[in-house]
Amino acid sequence: MDNQITIWTLFKLIGSLALLMYGMKSMSESLQKMAGPQLRHVLQAMTKNRFIGTITGAFVTASVQSSTATTVMTVSFVNAGLLTLAQAISIIMGANIGTTFTAWIMSAGFSFNITDFVWPAFFIGIILIYSKKRKIVGDFLFGVAFLLLGLGTLKATGSAIDFTQYPAVMNFFGSFGDNYGSYLLFLLIGGILTFCVQSSAAIMAITMTLCGTGVLPIYLGIALVMGENIGTTITSNIAALTANTQARRAAFAHLFFNCFGVVWMLIVFRPFINFVCGLWGYPTGDDATPEALAQHALLLPFILATFHTGFNIINTAILIWFIPVIEKIACTVISGKKKATGEEEEEEGKLKFISGGILATPELSVLEARKEIQLFGERTQRMFGMVIDLINEDNDEKFVKLFSRIEKYEGISDNMELEIAKYLDEVSDNHLSDETKASIRAMLREISEIESIGDSCYNLARTLNRKKQNNEQFIEKQTGHIHQMFNLTNDALTQMNIMLNGRKATLDVNRSFNIENEINNYRNQLKNQNINDVNNHVYTYAIGTMYMDIINECEKLGDYIVNVVEARMGTRQKEA
């Protein structure tokens, strides 16, 4: 019977912990969905100096209740080139402070019967979930309710256990002495557990339960919390594995920051903890009799929360002055790979921003896809530049080599369209806001039109190759007209890429439409003139056909460019 009770209690502890983790995850994701675009703008705008960046990181993390979300978001921004490494380091420092807010929520949950607030939250939440416009708010309330219910159940179950009836448990924790060897071991255990469960909140809850029941001494409990600080950095480092060099450096800086804090804390470990305990009137030293410790057991969750906050604030206050040094260390440890030069770099054709998979927050995934589309647009303009070079190339060997590169770029264009579309399709499987859904629809249209631009560039190259194979030559007047049409088309591509890169201050949308009108009018003018020139035997019908194939293809290419502009204008107007 005792064995059955033990197993049931164990499942109750594990289940309440799972409920807490699910509640924290649901609450965090709901907050990120509600504030995703705003948080994106906040992180990009409020990083003018290290102090504002730190405050921003703390604010964002406290808002979304997840330091992991903030650090992964920051690493993603560094990968996308939206933040510098120094800015990212300051935000991550702030995230370490912001995440301590979770510990205070938990300490409150362990100090009184917090489950009293659960049932109204469930009731209001289910009403909002069935309301289409307020579904995310309902998800948030359910997350809060699950979090509080998990905390309350964990507290009640832990308090009901009389660990003196379990000699094996008491002997296990009693076997660890009050020495640095034990501190280091529990620090390691805390790091491993946090890495395994991917939730520092869960480890904090376990620590508060063990300390509150008198099983775990406060010194070993705080060692677990310190280990959790290191374990939580693993997620951002894993997220950065497939990112670029700067993103990996940002993730390493997070690890370095927390490890440095643990090192200096171990030096002043006991005096610092005794000071924190003294703030709450918790007995230490000779005053720490079993009766006194039991009498003040309710203070332990608050002591853990105070230590967590104080440790991270002091660590940030020390290291914020050395951000340039941390940046240099990160650059030294993670040296950039040598970039391929010239043709090799251009022809890799790999996705740069979304190779790491779907992010936890759909809004961030959309941001990365948008950056990939910017790269897609730049590659198609580079491809068009090769077409311009092709018409000017007289050397047969160089002509063949250049045509082969254009052909390869056409394959890259097809692949990029498929990969980005697949990624956006995976993102759309998440619960998205109407704004994000509209953005994804517009982006799908953009990549389709950009791929068509790549097809047009390849068609132009094929026409020029056919002319080369037939030993035909354009007359000087035709060559001049083609170059003028190419200049108009390249100008349109430039305007499109300015818009895709989001430089709205320098973008005149009407310019794109005006260029398209110029292309159309010029095509009509050359079409009529071509008929007259062929009839007057200025050049042959065959060369006239190839000439007009090029002119008409440029006009089609201009239409695709306008379609991209129109698709992006719809999303930009909503975001503005």
Side-chain angles (χ1 to χ4, degrees), residues 96 182-197 199-201 203-204 207 219-234 254-255 258-259 261-263 265-266 269 304 307-308 311-312:
N96 274 23
S182 298
Y183 303 155
L184 291 173
L185 179 60
F186 271 76
L187 191 150
L188 179 63
I189 292 172
I192 293 173
L193 286 176
T194 304
F195 168 68
C196 291
V197 302
S199 174
S200 58
I203 306 306
M204 178 62 77
T207 306
Y219 299 105
L220 297 183
I222 286 178
L224 274 179
V225 173
M226 290 168 61
E228 164 238 306
N229 258 33
I230 295 177
T232 195
T233 65
I234 303 298
H254 188 202
L255 177 63
N258 284 14
C259 287
V262 167
V263 170
M265 177 50 67
L266 285 173
F269 190 69
L304 288 169
F307 168 82
H308 198 204
F311 165 66
N312 281 294

Side-chain angles (χ1 to χ4, degrees), residues 135-192:
K135 185 180 185 302
I136 297 178
V137 179
D139 290 339
F140 167 73
L141 285 177
F142 254 68
V144 172
F146 281 130
L147 169 65
L148 298 182
L149 185 60
L151 271 176
T153 308
L154 192 64
K155 173 199 169 188
T157 307
S159 301
I161 299 175
D162 183 4
F163 282 99
T164 58
Q165 297 182 4
Y166 304 100
V169 176
M170 298 301 294
N171 291 336
F172 173 76
F173 287 106
S175 64
F176 298 102
D178 189 7
N179 53 63
Y180 273 92
S182 298
Y183 303 155
L184 291 173
L185 179 60
F186 271 76
L187 191 150
L188 179 63
I189 292 172
I192 293 173

Side-chain angles (χ1 to χ4, degrees), residues 33 135 293 336 352 357 482 491 512 524:
K33 288 173 184 175
K135 185 180 185 302
L293 294 178
K352 181 178 179 182
I482 290 172
D491 195 7
S512 294
N524 293 336

Side-chain angles (χ1 to χ4, degrees), residues 49 67 99 175 258 316 357 423 440 442 444 546 549:
N49 60 57
S67 61
T99 193
S175 64
N258 284 14
T316 299
Y423 184 79
I440 289 177
L444 287 170
M546 285 185 280
D549 284 345

Side-chain angles (χ1 to χ4, degrees), residues 29-46:
E29 288 180 353
S30 299
L31 282 168
Q32 291 174 64
K33 288 173 184 175
M34 285 190 283
Q38 288 74 20
L39 292 180
R40 195 166 68 227
H41 298 317
V42 166
L43 281 180
Q44 289 178 243
M46 296 183 65

Side-chain angles (χ1 to χ4, degrees), residues 50-99:
R50 67 187 77 177
F51 301 103
I52 295 177
T54 302
I55 294 170
T56 302
F59 168 76
V60 170
T61 304
S63 298
V64 301
Q65 281 298 289
S66 174
S67 61
T68 300
T70 304
T71 51
V72 171
M73 189 187 309
T74 303
V75 168
S76 300
F77 285 176
V78 174
N79 185 53
L82 299 176
L83 291 176
T84 65
L85 180 56
Q87 289 172 327
I89 293 172
S90 67
I91 291 173
I92 290 171
M93 285 181 174
N96 274 23
I97 297 174
T99 193

Side-chain angles (χ1 to χ4, degrees), residues 2-63:
D2 289 340
N3 189 44
Q4 291 178 350
I5 294 173
T6 303
I7 294 174
W8 175 251
T9 303
L10 179 63
F11 275 115
K12 199 170 181 181
L13 285 171
I14 295 173
S16 59
L17 191 61
L19 197 61
L20 183 147
M21 291 172 62
Y22 176 78
M24 180 64 72
K25 180 176 182 291
S26 178
M27 184 178 70
S28 175
E29 288 180 353
S30 299
L31 282 168
Q32 291 174 64
K33 288 173 184 175
M34 285 190 283
Q38 288 74 20
L39 292 180
R40 195 166 68 227
H41 298 317
V42 166
L43 281 180
Q44 289 178 243
M46 296 183 65
T47 51
K48 295 179 180 178
N49 60 57
R50 67 187 77 177
F51 301 103
I52 295 177
T54 302
I55 294 170
T56 302
F59 168 76
V60 170
T61 304
S63 298

